[in-house]
Amino acid sequence: MPVVKHPRLRDPLYYEWDRRAQKCGLRHTIYAVNGDQYTGEWLDNLKHGKGTQIWKATGAIYSGDWKFGKRDGYGSYSILDPVTKEHRKVYTGWWENDQRGGRGVFFYPNGERYEGEWSDGLRSGWGQMHYKDGSVYEGQWLADQPHGQGVLRLPNENRYEGGWKDGKKHGPGKYFYLDKGQLLEGIWVADIPKCGVLVDFGRHKAPAPTQYPLPEIKLRDPAGVLAEAQAMFDDSHN
């Protein structure tokens, strides 16, 4: 007998399940197998657009922009405080490829705060760091360390202006001892001043000036001495 084929009344259920799995556009909350949940926009089954992710294991929350399944754009990341059971904001700013990238603010557990540029999740570029002891560093960063030109202001208003390398004072710089009314201008290597000129600077306004002013020393050319020191420093690091 000839075989007669009849058209299907409906497609198998797995066709429908597969279609629904390809999430696209705005969706309500989607739960992962491990309990993580995401509410927001999708594209080709990937988080893409605006959305909020909650990680069940840690209670952390990210709310912001996504791009092809990764945090990318502007967003805020918070963690759950184990003591207060409340969420504490950790970072607000720009993201690139699931890491901090661009400008943003990071809040440390000990109360310190960094505002500035990021690259690959690390402080890199220009930024300002507020330390727990009241010190503030503003300047260039590289790979999470002060590196380049920057200013460090201490709680007693003393400050250092100059070069930095790997988080330490390095190269030409000026250290203003405003509490004593003195200024040291010289060359630093790994946080240690190697040579320089110390002079009185606003001593009459200093809160704790030295007992006697510094005697004037007649150098043939203070600027020339520092220039020679700088040349020696450059030669030793080439």
Side-chain angles (χ1 to χ4, degrees), residues 100-165:
R100 294 183 293 274
R103 292 196 61 83
V105 183
F106 191 94
F107 302 90
Y108 294 84
N110 62 358
E112 296 181 345
R113 182 178 82 256
Y114 172 80
E115 303 177 30
E117 298 175 320
W118 299 79
S119 179
D120 295 328
L122 302 176
R123 294 168 290 184
S124 292
W126 190 269
Q128 186 179 83
M129 183 71 188
H130 297 259
Y131 296 98
K132 187 177 181 179
D133 65 356
S135 301
V136 178
Y137 170 82
E138 183 174 5
Q140 294 175 304
W141 294 76
L142 180 65
D144 237 20
Q145 297 284 355
H147 192 100
Q149 294 295 310
V151 179
L152 176 65
R153 295 181 176 84
L154 303 179
N156 62 0
E157 300 300 327
N158 289 353
R159 72 179 186 273
Y160 169 80
E161 302 177 0
W164 296 78
K165 182 179 179 182

Side-chain angles (χ1 to χ4, degrees), residues 28-182:
H28 294 296
T29 303
I30 301 296
Y31 293 88
V33 176
N34 62 2
D36 294 350
Q37 53 182 288
Y38 172 81
T39 304
E41 298 176 302
W42 298 77
L43 179 64
D44 295 333
N45 219 29
L46 294 173
K47 304 178 187 77
H48 190 91
K50 300 288 185 181
T52 299
Q53 168 91 14
I54 302 177
W55 287 267
K56 182 180 180 180
T58 61
I61 297 177
Y62 170 80
S63 183
D65 296 327
W66 297 78
K67 186 175 181 181
F68 301 118
K70 296 182 178 181
R71 291 169 291 185
D72 199 296
Y74 190 85
S76 179
Y77 179 77
S78 302
I79 62 173
L80 186 65
D81 191 298
V83 178
T84 64
K85 302 302 180 182
E86 296 181 351
H87 281 90
R88 178 177 62 82
K89 188 174 292 184
V90 174
Y91 176 77
T92 298
W94 292 91
W95 300 73
E96 294 177 355
N97 196 31
D98 219 32
Q99 298 191 76
R100 294 183 293 274
R103 292 196 61 83
V105 183
F106 191 94
F107 302 90
Y108 294 84
N110 62 358
E112 296 181 345
R113 182 178 82 256
Y114 172 80
E115 303 177 30
E117 298 175 320
W118 299 79
S119 179
D120 295 328
L122 302 176
R123 294 168 290 184
S124 292
W126 190 269
Q128 186 179 83
M129 183 71 188
H130 297 259
Y131 296 98
K132 187 177 181 179
D133 65 356
S135 301
V136 178
Y137 170 82
E138 183 174 5
Q140 294 175 304
W141 294 76
L142 180 65
D144 237 20
Q145 297 284 355
H147 192 100
Q149 294 295 310
V151 179
L152 176 65
R153 295 181 176 84
L154 303 179
N156 62 0
E157 300 300 327
N158 289 353
R159 72 179 186 273
Y160 169 80
E161 302 177 0
W164 296 78
K165 182 179 179 182
D166 299 329
K168 297 181 179 180
K169 306 176 193 69
H170 197 86
K174 297 179 181 180
Y175 203 112
F176 295 84
Y177 297 92
L178 298 184
D179 58 337
K180 298 179 180 180
Q182 293 180 334

